[in-house]
Amino acid sequence: MSAALTAPALRRRTAWLLAVGLAAAGLWGAACAQPLYRSIDAQGRVTFSDRAPSTAARPVEAPSGNDIDTGAAALPFELRQLVQRYPVTLYTQRDCAPCDEGRSMLRSRGIPFQERTVNTNLEIEALQRLSGQTGLPLLAIGSQQLRGYADAQWSQYLDAAGYPGRNSLPPGYTPPQARPLIAPVATPAVPAAPEAPAPIIPPPIGPTPANPAGIRF
């Protein structure tokens, strides 16, 4: 039978075990964490990546706000500023189960977003020029593009941009309706051709059966 620990020895042992546990947790968190980096190119576009593209890149932080009115008066102040800095756009198409899952994820988290549908050949070509591919869904957070739906990846980038993890939309908020990627152009109506005026028949010249003398007035 082992001897019972004295009170000071028990406190030292407890402190040692706690320190070991915290150190192990810290190493595990460091091994699992995948920090995102934010970089700004010459055109001022912001992109996120899990690799530092240059020495100028720095870990992503929630952007500091200034008093910018985005026009979305129904949104809370901080959320309005996030929408201004990192607008979220979801590109979808009909009969697309991953698109439906992505839309539901954004709505359940309370992310204000615009939805653009890609259904016509012209819209597919426009998506190709926009993103370099035609796979859907496509999520844009500012200038960062995420191809295909992946809940963990989308959440990671939304967190990096500073969007809240829980729905903070006001109860009366109504999301904007989805719009086609290319706005339909109304075909101008072709005006009907005017009716040709009835031909003017000049009066007969010379004698006629009704005017045998050929008198003109």
Side-chain angles (χ1 to χ4, degrees):
M1 179 181 297
S2 60
L5 295 175
T6 63
L10 182 60
R11 287 196 296 270
R12 289 195 298 271
R13 180 177 179 82
T14 302
W16 180 81
L17 291 174
L18 179 60
V20 171
L22 291 175
L27 292 174
W28 174 256
C32 295
Q34 295 183 352
L36 295 179
Y37 292 87
R38 176 177 59 192
S39 60
I40 304 176
D41 60 17
Q43 287 73 37
R45 294 174 298 187
V46 179
T47 58
F48 301 103
S49 175
D50 57 359
R51 297 181 181 179
S54 67
T55 57
R58 60 186 183 276
V60 171
E61 300 174 354
S64 59
N66 53 31
D67 194 8
I68 298 176
D69 184 8
T70 63
L75 297 177
F77 176 73
E78 294 181 357
L79 195 53
R80 289 205 311 268
Q81 298 192 44
L82 284 172
V83 171
Q84 175 72 13
R85 286 180 174 81
Y86 306 109
V88 177
T89 305
L90 177 64
Y91 299 86
T92 64
Q93 66 181 174
R94 290 189 297 266
D95 303 323
C96 171
C99 301
D100 298 337
E101 294 176 5
R103 185 188 305 108
S104 298
M105 178 267 192
L106 294 175
R107 289 179 176 174
S108 63
R109 179 163 168 170
I111 303 297
F113 68 96
Q114 298 283 340
E115 182 175 352
R116 296 290 181 266
T117 57
V118 182
N119 294 310
T120 68
N121 291 334
L122 287 177
E123 290 168 342
I124 293 174
E125 293 174 2
L127 180 67
Q128 176 73 37
R129 293 192 298 270
L130 176 69
S131 63
Q133 53 90 46
T134 58
L136 291 169
L138 173 70
L139 181 69
I141 306 173
S143 60
Q144 180 69 47
Q145 296 179 352
L146 303 178
R147 300 173 178 86
Y149 174 64
D151 184 277
Q153 184 190 39
W154 286 23
S155 296
Q156 185 182 29
Y157 279 86
L158 289 168
D159 292 341
Y163 280 96
R166 295 183 178 181
N167 192 332
S168 61
L169 293 174
Y173 175 78
T174 302
Q177 294 184 348
R179 294 187 295 170
L181 180 56
I182 298 179
V185 178
T187 303
V190 178
E195 296 183 359
I200 301 176
I201 302 176
I205 301 175
T208 63
N211 185 12
I215 300 173
R216 299 180 63 184
F217 297 94

